[in-house]
């Protein structure tokens, strides 16, 4: 019920440079996304980002890109399937014929996920963030949505998405909640470092 | 958990010309209803409308009518039963005596519904929209209520209806959520066309 | 899931004349309570009222009293138990010794409730209304709370009560929702009469 | 579903003098915490307080301290485990070797909790209050969060915590709800005394 750093992935959804200018309160949203990504790196939580139709919407914005380890390009609004190779890599083949199996038999399900909590933030909350979150729920992830790092073009659409995500079983959190749950105690060796990003 | 175009009906509830002028933010509500109906047609989702007591409240407003394939007139506030012949038509008789059965044996349940998701919007949210939504839930439909195309005479009644619909198990969505879930991907052949109606 | 007139009691909680002046938006709250009681009478729904510690807080206000059939005086904040003789009267004795049984064997549970939906409104929402609602839930009533006829001294307490009531399984409704669910159809013989109280 | 005085502990989380000045609406939050603690003492509900990293954040503020029986110092943000010796004291040894058992065998679970309702209030709502509440839920307490005595540095974080606590199964209440549920009736011998603190 509390988030754990060792169980977490951070997934940053579609912070793309031709999309962000249209987002409501884009500056605050992006600042929180950067804080979140920096805290993730301090806590050794893997950080990936998705880009929707990058030829149309551009790449991940420059402020965020240095903090991202892996970028997943996609055309589907729901990023769940496209994220699987990053979030749940296939185990190395242990016998000669594993790689030669038809793809549908090389199921990701065969590899028990090392990290089962997907911490998500992104834009637009009610389109790609929402569809990605719901698709990850179906893939049996625990999904945590960091609301103060999410945005839509309109507040109404953003808030309608939050309500729906909560009803679907996502845990709605904030950047600070994530930070203090990853830390768990003031004795954590990175406590002071994370604190400078929070206050 | 995500809406599918192939599984959807669009049901427009009581956008009638002697009712609409009393609705809070009627202009925005109606504009969203028209957008929704146009997107439905592009996506080949069947569109029907109900009219409550049309002799009293008038017909469906002129802006919406061209986008509606079927109109269902009713006196009950809950439209579920009246909508059944449209949403779940009886299968053609396959044997000689099927039509001669007593009506209660010709159950609609005998025909597995081709489209099980009822996407609803309308007025007043807390009367006919609410009662129709709840009656469709009882008829085992998945019910999706498009909040930004719904209205009541007062905001308080409208919002109380949304809370109750969510608690009853309806999925509360917006016009844009519906559009992007029906599409699913930027590769959809109608993507560009729908996009002009959304932005 | 929709309210039925034949299954309803209306319970008006503690609209007392030394309490009402302190209530937030008391005038609107009381006007809605009066409308609700008048609609109940038209629809032949029994109306009762509770009075908390009437020596201290006074009697039911004069505007409401003419519409109330039965008044229940109490000292407990939760009115559930005190309401049982009104909401669920004991069946007439069918054998000679029934009345001579010890009271705990004359259980109200022995009489299947003719009306199982308790429609509640009153003051203060977060004290006597809340405790009465929760005690009726425990007595296995379906509890409907008419929010726009409820008040507390502060909005924050009132709204906190609504959230808690919803979470506990009460259905939160408004005066208009109740009216149109009791009616069900524009063909109801009392439709026009109720409509004059609603619009 | 209603709170009972005999089943309650009051736990005041981290009202520390170097933290409070940063809290949104600190004065009202603290005044409500003091009222709550005074009511608890009148009702003979045990009152304890936690202090997070007291060398850094200081001690419990002077206004509250006189009303607290026990103080628990901690470094973990979630206070559940640290509170166990106070909330659920070990039973006295009934045989000679009980105390000599390794600590993990002297399980708190062995002692059935005399008081199973933890009534919580504190700061910051979205960090230590939240984590303490969730950890007490996992220890099988019924957790009641007194929202009008809780604060965070920002409203958004505070309210996000309330939503999450409710979704996790905590009961969200106010000081007045607690007071009138602990009392239950205007006949309670301490009714008049508590009333002076409420109104």
């Amino acid at each position: 019920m509390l988030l754990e750093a060792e169980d977490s992935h951070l997934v940053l959804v579609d912070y793309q440079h031709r999309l962000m200018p249209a987002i409501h309160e884009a500056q605050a949203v992006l600042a929180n996304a950067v804080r979140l990504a920096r805290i993730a790196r301090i806590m050794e939580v893997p950080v990936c980002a998705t880009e929707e139709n990058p030829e149309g919407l551009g790449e991940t914005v420059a402020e965020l890109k240095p903090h991202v380890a892996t970028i997943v390009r996609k055309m589907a609004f729901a990023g769940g399937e496209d994220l699987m190779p990053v979030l749940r890599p296939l185990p190395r083949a242990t016998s000669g014929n594993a790689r030669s199996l038809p793809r549908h038999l090389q199921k990701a399900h065969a590899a028990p996920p090392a990290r089962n909590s997907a911490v998500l933030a992104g834009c637009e909350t009610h389109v790609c963030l929402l569809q990605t979150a719901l698709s990850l729920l179906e893939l049996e992830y625990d999904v945590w949505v960091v609301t103060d790092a999410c945005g839509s073009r309109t507040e109404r659409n953003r808030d309608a998405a939050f309500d729906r995500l909560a009803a679907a079983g996502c845990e709605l959190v904030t950047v600070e909640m994530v930070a203090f749950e990853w830390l768990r105690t003031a004795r954590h060796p990175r406590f002071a470092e994370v604190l400078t990003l929070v206050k």
Side-chain angles (χ1 to χ4, degrees), chain A:
Chain A
M1 217 166 342
L2 289 170
L3 191 59
E4 293 181 34
E6 302 71 31
D7 190 53
S8 300
H9 277 281
L10 177 60
V11 181
L12 300 167
V13 176
D14 301 1
Y15 292 92
Q16 288 164 265
H17 70 75
R18 282 203 281 279
L19 173 59
M20 290 310 291
I23 297 300
H24 177 69
E25 294 174 351
Q27 207 163 11
V29 166
L30 187 56
N32 278 334
V34 170
R35 281 205 301 163
L36 185 60
R38 293 180 66 187
I39 295 168
R41 290 178 74 202
I42 295 171
M43 299 301 296
E44 294 174 23
V45 168
V47 181
C48 64
T50 60
E51 291 176 356
E52 171 68 20
N53 184 15
E55 293 191 12
L57 294 173
E59 301 192 347
T60 299
V61 291
E63 298 93 315
L64 203 54
K65 214 167 189 175
H67 307 293
V68 175
T70 321
I71 286 183
V72 172
R73 297 168 170 219
K74 65 189 174 73
M75 293 298 280
F77 308 132
E81 290 295 342
D82 291 311
L83 281 161
M84 280 304 99
V86 176
L87 302 188
R88 196 183 282 174
L90 282 174
R92 299 218 176 165
T94 50
S95 75
N97 68 349
R99 288 256 165 217
S100 58
L101 282 174
R103 192 197 165 99
H104 73 281
L105 292 179
Q106 295 181 14
K107 288 191 75 161
H109 287 96
R115 293 169 178 267
N116 206 44
S117 295
V119 180
L120 261 69
C123 299
E124 289 196 62
T125 313
H126 67 295
V127 185
C128 287
L129 185 284
L130 172 84
Q131 293 197 26
T132 300
L134 297 181
S135 66
L136 287 170
L137 279 180
E138 300 227 334
L139 291 162
E140 296 186 18
Y141 277 82
D142 295 329
V143 178
W144 305 70
V145 175
V146 189
T147 56
D148 51 357
C150 289
S152 282
R153 288 173 2 264
T154 66
E155 268 188 291
R156 180 165 187 168
N157 272 305
R158 182 197 66 190
D159 292 346
F162 290 153
D163 287 345
R164 195 170 157 202
L165 288 161
C170 296
E171 200 82 10
L172 302 193
V173 292
T174 62
V175 174
E176 291 197 13
M177 285 184 191
V178 172
F180 287 104
E181 286 172 49
W182 279 344
L183 286 168
R184 288 299 174 98
T185 163
R187 284 214 179 86
H188 192 287
R190 316 302 293 269
F191 175 62
E193 193 177 352
V194 169
L195 206 62
T196 62
L197 288 170
V198 163
K199 304 252 167 152

